[in-house]
Amino acid sequence: PPPPTKPPPPPPPPSTPKPAGPPPSDLCTMQSDGTCKSLLNSYCYQWRDFADSWHISKQIKQLGQCMSQDCEQSLESGGEVTPGCRFLDENGFCYAYGSAQLWCAKNTGSQYCRDGGSDWGKPPLGSADPDADQTGWTPGTFPLRGDAGSGSLACSCMKDCTCTVSSSRNECLCEKGTDQAPVGPGPWAPTLIRQRSGKKGDCACQCVQANGRRRVLLGHTDGETLVKNLKAVTRRLLHVTGEEEEEGEREGEREGE
């Protein structure tokens, strides 16, 4: 009789992923204590490095500016040069350099790369629609710092918009042809939205103490979104200074309101 056939050899073991190695210098810079200091948009790195010494009103303002910068980065066109923002550092802020974002996309298991999700980036960074104006990026919630207390600040953003927020005005100018509403966990929303051209790629974000829910319901008519005026709520939540109110008035004049 013929000799018995040998069973096939077992499949080779799965290959062990190669370690990513040290992070590139455009993602973070190594410190003497072994930590890596991430390279962020300007308002975000100021928040990270200095917020412990700030009054709560400055923390609110600066964090909103940080989120606006990250939001505008998320609206980039995609591709190798301007990939947008999918990956965050340990603080929850976008890595500022596109090359750092792309490094994280190739090293998703790295301890340095917090992944917002594939819908946060257009190809090659993620799977969001490359022809869409916006991705799934949203702002976050962040702890108060220093002597400001133990609470947190929850942020919301209006994409493709600029906004005037003061004790007397709370309105946004948004790109024509878009149906805009706030994104993010924060309760802030504008009381009036008007459509204007030339707003694509802009962002306006506000961060407030995380102790309320969004109370403004948005609707639209004849190219404008009109909502019930909640100025008293805005004054209570936003802690806006007189200087900011004057700047808001000047911005409104420049927009031809």
Side-chain angles (χ1 to χ4, degrees):
T5 59
K6 295 181 179 180
S15 59
T16 303
K18 295 181 180 179
S25 59
D26 53 5
L27 184 137
C28 59
T29 55
M30 295 301 296
Q31 307 298 298
S32 59
D33 62 359
T35 61
C36 203
K37 198 169 189 178
S38 43
L39 301 183
L40 309 172
N41 290 312
S42 60
Y43 285 114
C44 297
Y45 85 70
Q46 291 171 22
W47 163 272
R48 178 196 62 197
D49 292 350
F50 306 118
D52 284 341
S53 63
W54 292 344
H55 186 271
I56 186 173
S57 60
K58 184 170 183 178
Q59 293 193 34
I60 289 170
K61 180 179 179 179
Q62 191 91 3
L63 186 59
Q65 292 169 320
C66 162
M67 287 292 99
S68 295
Q69 287 183 323
D70 279 6
C71 178
E72 290 178 358
Q73 182 177 336
S74 80
L75 296 177
E76 290 178 345
S77 59
E80 296 284 344
V81 179
T82 54
C85 172
R86 171 179 173 177
F87 294 97
L88 313 175
D89 78 335
E90 62 181 359
N91 303 287
F93 301 137
C94 297
Y95 285 109
Y97 286 97
S99 53
Q101 292 285 334
L102 294 171
W103 184 87
C104 282
K106 297 174 181 178
N107 298 278
T108 53
S110 170
Q111 61 176 318
Y112 301 105
C113 303
R114 285 178 51 183
D115 190 355
S118 62
D119 66 334
W120 276 33
K122 299 177 182 180
L125 196 60
S127 60
D129 183 354
D131 297 322
D133 290 334
Q134 302 175 6
T135 68
W137 178 92
T138 59
T141 299
F142 302 87
L144 287 168
R145 301 272 298 277
D147 296 332
S150 58
S152 58
L153 298 175
C155 302
S156 54
C157 295
M158 294 289 293
K159 298 181 181 181
D160 293 319
C161 300
T162 60
C163 300
T164 300
V165 179
S166 70
S167 60
S168 61
R169 299 178 66 187
N170 183 23
E171 58 189 65
C172 295
L173 302 177
C174 296
E175 181 67 20
K176 284 185 176 181
T178 56
D179 188 12
Q180 298 290 5
V183 299
W188 172 78
T191 55
L192 176 65
I193 298 177
R194 303 179 188 275
Q195 292 196 348
R196 293 286 190 277
S197 59
K199 300 300 178 182
K200 186 175 180 180
D202 289 327
C203 276
C205 303
Q206 295 289 329
C207 302
V208 303
Q209 287 182 269
N211 58 359
R213 61 184 179 87
R214 184 170 293 136
R215 299 184 61 187
V216 180
L217 302 178
L218 301 176
H220 63 88
T221 177
D222 297 328
E224 294 183 355
T225 303
L226 302 176
V227 294
K228 185 179 179 180
N229 193 326
L230 296 176
K231 292 178 180 177
V233 175
T234 304
R235 284 194 295 271
R236 176 172 58 83
L237 290 177
L238 297 182
H239 303 276
V240 178
T241 66
E243 179 182 350
E244 289 168 310
E245 179 176 354
E246 291 173 3
E247 178 59 26
E249 298 289 345
R250 289 194 294 271
E251 182 180 341
E253 293 172 1
R254 289 195 295 269
E255 296 288 354
E257 292 299 298

